Amino acid sequence: MRGNLILIEGLDRSGKSTQATILAEKLDAQLIKFPDRSTPIGQIINRYLVDRDFHLPDQAAHLLFSANRWELANSLVESLQAGKNIVMDRYIYSGIAYSLAKKGAEMDSHEWLYGPDRGLPKPDLTLFLTISLEELSSRKGYGEERYEQLEFQSKVKECFLKILDSSDPTIAIVDVDGLSIDEVTGKLWSEIHIRGLDQSSNNKITYFQ
Ligand code: T5A
């Protein structure tokens, strides 16, 4: 029996970390947040996000975010195989949506953007939190980091909705606008429960192809 891999995606300050922490506790799961700013590559990413005078070509930034996921990939698979549930806060969909929203050259090519993430383990369930931009901008701390501007977030939202295949049963788009933290947890938990992901499974781990 293996653990389940559950991913929470969404815009900046949409409540991902809050919900990932609550769900990790309910599922007795390991919590993994991307970017993981503690790794060697994560430290460069952190500087890129907090210091607007630190420049990187868009292609290089994109590849660093992917490399950061690969830094943790083996340990992630080992934990699942050892029966541990994992809740992830952001993953490859963030990688593609934020780069796609930048536009220009390689940033317009879904194939190019997706390439470096091929081979990473695929979540058993991806929960994408949709929320209005008005509500986002009122959240504590909004605007502190590189991508936290409403015009850019609106493009990112469009890109997320373009790349998330709503016919894929492992993807759930969950409207959380105006909901309290408890109400959001209730909605997410029901998506987990109806798929039986609150129980361990003997399904094979799948990978992004
Ligand atoms: N990025 C990331 C890429 O470009 N490529 C990639 O491959 C990856 C992985 C940093 C940036 O990196 C980019 C995307 C990002 O711009 P991050 O560290 O995940 O990524 O940054 P944030 O999304 O900004 O993370 P935050 O932790 O700040 O936001 P969360 O997790 O969405 O929100 P959370 O839970 O911390 O909540 C924010 C505030 O809202 C309140 C909370 O208490 C908190 O104050 N809140 C609510 N308030 C009212 N009602 C609710 N339902 C609420 N839920 C939470």
Side-chain angles (χ1 to χ4, degrees):
M1 297 300 268
R2 69 158 173 100
N4 296 309
L5 180 56
I6 292 167
L7 164 64
I8 305 187
E9 283 280 12
L11 299 177
D12 293 57
R13 313 280 160 165
S14 54
K16 299 175 303 302
S17 303
T18 304
Q19 295 300 328
T21 306
I22 297 170
L23 292 179
E25 198 167 315
K26 280 170 85 75
L27 290 162
D28 188 22
Q30 184 183 342
L31 177 58
I32 297 182
K33 179 171 170 61
F34 287 112
D36 179 339
R37 303 183 195 219
S38 69
T39 67
I41 291 167
Q43 286 168 31
I44 307 175
I45 293 175
N46 182 54
R47 182 158 175 222
Y48 174 70
L49 289 170
V50 301
D51 179 358
R52 285 172 211 229
D53 295 326
F54 179 65
H55 300 292
L56 286 173
D58 292 340
Q59 294 89 336
H62 181 79
L63 294 172
L64 285 172
F65 278 108
S66 175
N68 186 231
R69 291 186 273 281
W70 281 105
E71 284 181 296
L72 273 70
N74 284 345
S75 70
L76 197 153
V77 171
E78 278 165 22
S79 294
L80 291 174
Q81 282 168 342
K84 189 84 192 151
N85 291 321
I86 296 179
V87 174
M88 271 193 311
D89 181 352
R90 291 198 189 274
Y91 197 42
I92 89 154
Y93 302 105
S94 282
I96 299 172
Y98 280 75
S99 290
L100 204 55
K102 289 177 174 177
K103 298 196 168 53
E106 283 79 8
M107 299 304 106
D108 289 336
S109 164
H110 183 272
E111 261 316 289
W112 190 91
L113 296 173
Y114 181 53
D117 286 318
R118 284 183 203 278
L120 285 169
K122 188 177 179 207
D124 298 297
L125 175 61
T126 294
L127 298 158
F128 176 70
L129 313 185
T130 56
I131 189 166
S132 68
L133 298 175
E134 293 70 35
E135 183 157 341
L136 272 193
S137 59
S138 69
R139 295 265 168 104
K140 205 170 134 213
Y142 185 84
E144 284 167 6
E145 286 200 340
R146 181 177 287 263
Y147 296 138
E148 294 177 356
Q149 298 132 27
L150 282 188
E151 201 190 330
F152 186 69
Q153 291 291 317
S154 145
K155 286 186 199 149
V156 174
K157 185 174 180 180
E158 229 175 79
C159 292
F160 263 123
L161 294 172
K162 195 150 89 187
I163 62 169
L164 288 165
D165 175 6
S166 55
S167 67
D168 179 339
T170 71
I171 292 180
I173 296 175
V174 183
D175 186 357
V176 301
D177 206 40
L179 300 186
S180 69
I181 291 173
D182 285 352
E183 287 168 331
V184 177
T185 306
K187 270 189 142 180
L188 301 184
W189 187 254
S190 75
E191 296 289 346
I192 292 169
H193 182 67
I194 51 169
R195 290 170 176 82
L197 293 170
D198 46 351
Q199 309 288 326
S200 42
S201 86
N202 53 11
N203 297 337
K204 280 198 168 149
I205 298 171
T206 59
Y207 295 85
F208 286 104
Q209 302 291 318

